[in-house]
Amino acid sequence: MMTAKDNDDFMKLSLITDLLSPEIKVQPVISLIQENKNDDNNLADQLQSSQITQLEQWLELSQFEGKFNQLHPIYAQSEAFPQLFVVGIGDVEQLNGIKLQKLAQSIVKATQKLAETISIDLSNLPETLHYQFALALTQANYAYDEFKTKKSEITLKNIQFFAEQTSLDSAQLTLLQAIQKGQHFTRHLGNTPGNVCFPEYLADEALKLAGEFPDLLNVTVLNEQQMADLGMNAFLAVSKGSERSGRVVLLEYNAQQNQKPVVLVGKGVTFDTGGISLKPAATMDEMKFDMCGAATVLGVMRALCESKLPIHVVGALACAENMPSGHATRPGDIVTTMSGQTVEVLNTDAEGRLVLCDTLTYIARYEPELVIDIATLTGACVVALGKVLSGLFSPDNALSQALIDAGEQSFDRVWRLPVMDDYQELLDSPFADMGNIGGPYGGAITAACFLQRFTRDYRWAHLDIAGTAWLSGAQKGATGRPVPLLMQFLANRVSN
Ligand SMILES: [Zn+2]
C-alpha cells in the first residue's frame, strides 16, 4: 500500500551570522548580485566579500553582469568559498514574486543534488523580499517520485540565510517550514493517482495526521449510511455511481481554543469522469487533481499542527468519486439536499457543488466564525483567469480583502469575481428549486451562486482553484496552492 511519504524533501531554514565560519566555508555558498546599472565598480564591490581570486579577469572572461537569473558556479577560485555560486538578480526595482520563484528554482536545481546544506547571502536582496524568497526556495525543492523506480536523489536538507540586515526572524522561519510541510503534503496527495487515492484513502490520511498530533487534532469520518441518515442526498447522488464509497472527513484543530472556528471546506472528488455526462478522453487523467481542495485543507491542517498557531480551525473534506455506472445519477434526476432545497441534476459533471452543498450545510453545527470553501470547481474559472490567479467569490468585502492581502503576502494570489443575486435566476429549474448548472455564460459565477444558496447563515468565501491547483504539460503536477494563502490568512488573524 502506497502512503504519503515522510517529507524527505523537507528543508530546514535557519539564519547564520557569519558566512566565514569554518563549517560554512566547505558548503556551497550562493551570492546574490544586482545588475550593474551605472557605477563601474558596482559589480566588483558586490563581489568583494566572495573573495574571488583575480576578480577583474574573472568578470571579463565570465561576462557575468548580474543580469536576472545569470547563474555561474565558481569552483576553487575563491579563497573563502571553494563552491561559490554567483547569481544575478538583475534590477532590484523589477523583482517580483514570479521572478523570485525563478531565482529560487535555478538555485535549488543547481545545488539540490550537490550538498546537504547551502548558505545564501541575501545582503544584496531588498529586505522586503526575503520572506517571499525563502518561501519560493521551499517550493522549488519538491519531487514526486513515488512511482518511479529511479528516485530523484535530492540531498539538500538545510538552507542557511546570511544577511547584513534581514526582516526574517525565527517565528517567520517556523511558519515557512510549516507551510512547506503542508504544501508538500498537498502536492503529494494531489499527484497520487486515483487508483490509490480514493475517498477512504483521504480519510485514512486525516486519521494518520491526527495520530501524529493527537493533542492538536480530532478527526471524525462520516460514512454513506451516516450521510443518508443526515439527508445528504446531493452528496450521495455523486458518490453512488462509484464502487468506492464517499466520505465526509472532519478535522478539528485546537478544539479547546475558546473561539468560534474558521471552517475550511475542501472539494475532494478523487476522480472525476463527469459521471453519465462523461468528459472527453483528452487530459481526463488530470481529473485525479479534482480532490485538490480537500488536499489543500489537509495541507493546511498539517501546517497548523507543525506551526502550532493558536487558532481554532475546522477542516471538512467532501470526498467522493464521480463515475458512470448503473447506479449513477442520470441528468434530470432531482434530489433533496440536506438543507431541504431541491436540485435538478442537469449535468452530472457539475458534481463538485453537489458534494459541497451538503457539506456546507453540515458544518453550520460548528457555529463558524467564517467559512472558506476551496474547490477545483469550474473550467469557466480557468477560462476567465488562466492558471495564474485563483478565483475569489464572496459577498463579504472585509473577508475578501483579507484573502486578497494574504495572497499578495504569500504570492499565492486571488482575483475577486462577483457573486450576486443578479445571476441567481440562471439557476432556475422548471422542476426543482434550482438546477445544478446555469447555462453557458458566467459558469464560475453561477457555480458560486449555487453554493451561496447554502451559505447564507454565516460569513463565507469561495475559492475556485481549478486553474491554479495543478499545472499541465511538461510541468504537470499539483502546485499545493492555496496552502500558502490560507496559512498566511490564518497567521494574520492570529497576529491581528
Ligand atoms: Zn465534474
Side-chain angles (χ1 to χ4, degrees), residues 224 238-245 320-325 327-328:
E224 289 196 343
V238 177
S239 66
K240 71 179 188 165
S242 171
E243 298 291 316
R244 304 283 194 187
S245 70
E321 186 179 53
N322 188 21
M323 296 290 264
S325 78
H327 300 285

Side-chain angles (χ1 to χ4, degrees), residues 52-111:
I52 299 169
T53 50
Q54 297 175 301
L55 179 59
E56 293 299 319
Q57 194 189 8
W58 179 81
L59 277 171
E60 204 182 309
L61 293 176
S62 68
Q63 300 192 350
F64 180 80
E65 293 173 300
K67 285 196 186 306
F68 175 73
N69 223 0
Q70 245 190 325
L71 184 148
H72 284 250
I74 305 177
Y75 296 126
Q77 287 177 59
S78 156
E79 280 166 26
F81 311 113
Q83 292 185 85
L84 175 69
F85 292 78
V86 293
V87 180
I89 58 175
D91 178 355
V92 290
E93 308 280 311
Q94 305 286 324
L95 281 175
N96 55 27
I98 194 73
K99 284 190 159 179
L100 291 175
Q101 287 185 345
K102 285 182 177 153
L103 284 174
Q105 284 157 10
S106 299
I107 291 167
V108 167
K109 194 169 173 230
T111 56

Side-chain angles (χ1 to χ4, degrees), residues 434-451:
M434 69 195 94
N436 75 327
I437 50 169
Y441 305 125
I445 298 166
T446 50
C449 284
F450 182 95
L451 297 178

Side-chain angles (χ1 to χ4, degrees), residues 309-361:
L309 276 186
I311 186 169
H312 185 192
V313 181
V314 170
L317 320 177
C319 307
E321 186 179 53
N322 188 21
M323 296 290 264
S325 78
H327 300 285
T329 292
R330 308 157 199 81
D333 285 2
I334 295 173
V335 292
T336 303
T337 65
M338 187 180 172
S339 72
Q341 301 173 89
T342 58
V343 177
E344 184 186 12
V345 181
L346 293 166
N347 188 319
T348 63
D349 196 13
E351 83 297 338
R353 63 201 75 181
L354 298 176
V355 297
L356 286 172
C357 71
D358 281 341
T359 310
L360 287 164
T361 301

Side-chain angles (χ1 to χ4, degrees), residues 37 135 205 355:
K37 280 197 275 190
L135 177 61
E205 287 294 312
V355 297

